[in-house]
Amino acid sequence: MKTIVFPGQGSQFVGMGYDLYSSFSEAKEVFEEVDDTLEQNLSKIMFEGPEETLILTENTQPAIMAVGMAIIKILKRRGFRIDSISDILAGHSLGEYTALAAAESLSLKDVSLLLKIRGKAMQDAVPNGQGSMAAILGLSIKEVIEVIDRNRLKEKVFPANDNAEAQVVISGFKNNIEESLKVFLENGAKKALQLSVSAPFHCPLMNPAKEIMLEKIKDVNLMEPLIPVLSNVKVNSEKSIDGIKHNLINQVTEMVRWREIMIKLKKEDVSDFYEIGSGSVLSNLAKRSCPSFNRKSINDKSSVDDFLTFLDKWGIEWLI
């Protein structure tokens, strides 16, 4: 079994996608379509910055998706359809949108607009500077929840990302997050680090964003994915259009269950793990969670060329 996964926020950097844009006409087509759809020169921000503009959530989310979809289009133009090179897809947070677009459930135009709206809605859900997130290292999700319950932190801080064993991210108002760090360290965390984000993603404080996405997603035209796409919310694949929309809406306020997705992939007998898009965060998490996976990060011209060579070499087997 083979899986392709797509990264989430945090994988962005100034210069992302530029070598793909310069080397492949397919990538250029994707970046130009995203620019035209959003009526902004997002690709210029991606290639040249400034960083403070790129890291705005409304820019970061479509930017990360655009790199993933550029690589998918390069592969597809050379005859490698997503259902011939992968058995199952997943994506971390916004990466689930990229996965659905790669599986031809969402059009590039629709996924670009949705992520622009999603990013702005999530950024605006809490006044700038009042929300925060922190990484809690050395405690499992179960232990993090126990610490929250024992120390009257419930409804103050919320588990947001269960990324890997002993790597959990929490969300909340900035003052509550800051006060909780000492509590987690006193209760066995090896590290408790406040993250440089300005909004508390994937927690109930995102309810205003959830309401916006409810209105925007309900009228979007989705198709059944070519292959299964695992949901961050339910850790399973959903075939029904209504079910997919329901998961995407709830995803805004629900915890990202990435550790469980890795367990699910392992139980599905996945052996080959390919991360497509900016950076290699998910490959590094897989190294910790599922060291038996054969991992590849496909994120720039060199790695795309290597992957194409690999696919060409084994193409007959892959297409059976």
Side-chain angles (χ1 to χ4, degrees):
M1 288 273 285
K2 301 170 285 291
T3 187
I4 290 176
V5 301
F6 299 91
Q9 200 157 331
S11 296
Q12 72 279 352
F13 61 92
V14 173
M16 60 189 292
Y18 181 70
D19 63 343
L20 299 172
Y21 176 91
S22 303
S23 305
F24 300 98
S25 61
E26 301 90 346
K28 187 175 182 180
E29 291 168 9
V30 168
F31 293 132
E32 288 179 347
E33 183 174 347
V34 173
D35 287 349
D36 290 344
T37 297
L38 301 181
E39 298 181 345
Q40 94 177 101
N41 198 342
L42 180 63
S43 57
K44 188 178 192 307
I45 297 171
M46 294 166 61
F47 303 157
E48 301 176 12
E51 184 178 14
E52 57 265 28
T53 303
L54 176 61
I55 63 174
L56 293 174
T57 306
E58 64 182 277
N59 293 328
T60 299
Q61 295 197 12
I64 291 173
M65 176 278 301
V67 175
M69 289 307 296
I71 295 171
I72 289 296
K73 189 164 187 177
I74 293 167
L75 298 175
K76 188 175 179 181
R77 189 70 61 83
R78 283 154 181 77
F80 298 107
R81 284 167 44 103
I82 194 74
D83 52 347
S84 70
I85 59 176
S86 180
D87 301 292
I88 190 168
L89 304 178
H92 191 285
S93 190
L94 78 90
E96 187 175 334
Y97 284 77
T98 316
L100 288 166
E104 300 182 18
S105 177
L106 276 169
S107 69
L108 182 59
K109 178 179 179 179
D110 284 340
V111 77
S112 300
L113 289 170
L114 283 174
L115 286 175
K116 182 73 174 180
I117 293 166
R118 180 181 186 266
K120 188 173 190 326
M122 293 174 79
Q123 185 65 55
D124 293 346
V126 173
N128 187 38
Q130 291 189 23
S132 185
M133 302 178 77
I136 310 300
L137 307 181
L139 295 178
S140 68
I141 183 64
K142 180 180 178 182
E143 291 168 330
V144 166
I145 293 172
E146 288 174 350
V147 171
I148 290 172
D149 289 344
R150 284 200 311 266
N151 293 274
R152 299 181 182 179
L153 294 173
K154 204 166 185 179
E155 307 305 325
K156 291 184 177 181
V157 300
F158 308 89
N161 297 352
D162 180 15
N163 284 330
E165 189 64 35
Q167 187 179 125
V168 178
V169 176
I170 59 172
S171 283
F173 284 116
K174 187 176 181 181
N175 60 324
N176 290 333
I177 291 292
E178 290 173 347
E179 291 172 5
S180 75
L181 299 183
K182 182 179 178 182
V183 176
F184 283 107
L185 289 171
E186 290 173 345
N187 283 270
K190 293 181 179 178
K191 291 183 179 180
L193 307 170
Q194 196 162 359
L195 302 178
S196 58
V197 297
S198 57
F201 302 137
H202 297 292
C203 78
L205 299 181
M206 289 287 108
N207 270 319
K210 180 179 178 179
E211 292 301 316
I212 290 172
M213 294 310 294
L214 173 62
E215 290 301 312
K216 297 300 180 182
I217 287 178
K218 70 179 182 181
D219 295 325
V220 170
N221 182 36
L222 270 78
M223 305 292 288
E224 183 179 332
L226 294 177
I227 57 175
V229 177
L230 295 181
S231 160
N232 281 252
V233 173
K234 293 191 173 179
V235 197
N236 62 13
S237 58
E238 179 64 65
K239 288 187 176 181
S240 78
I241 303 305
D242 286 344
I244 293 171
K245 290 183 177 183
H246 184 75
N247 289 339
L248 291 178
I249 292 163
N250 286 338
Q251 191 209 71
V252 176
T253 55
E254 295 294 321
M255 181 178 70
V256 174
R257 298 165 64 184
W258 193 253
R259 178 186 59 84
E260 293 176 76
I261 286 177
M262 291 294 99
I263 293 171
K264 171 78 170 177
L265 292 174
K266 192 171 183 179
K267 286 181 177 177
E268 294 289 335
D269 292 325
V270 164
S271 58
D272 299 305
F273 178 99
Y274 305 116
E275 179 178 6
I276 288 183
S278 181
S280 55
V281 170
L282 301 183
S283 298
N284 291 333
L285 288 176
K287 184 177 181 179
R288 294 182 57 187
S289 300
C290 301
S292 63
F293 285 175
N294 299 315
R295 301 177 303 277
K296 289 183 187 293
S297 296
I298 302 104
N299 50 31
D300 57 14
K301 180 183 184 302
S302 175
S303 55
V304 168
D305 286 338
D306 288 345
F307 194 51
L308 287 169
T309 299
F310 172 77
L311 293 179
D312 283 333
K313 182 177 180 181
W314 299 105
I316 295 175
E317 291 184 17
W318 280 65
L319 295 172
I320 291 176

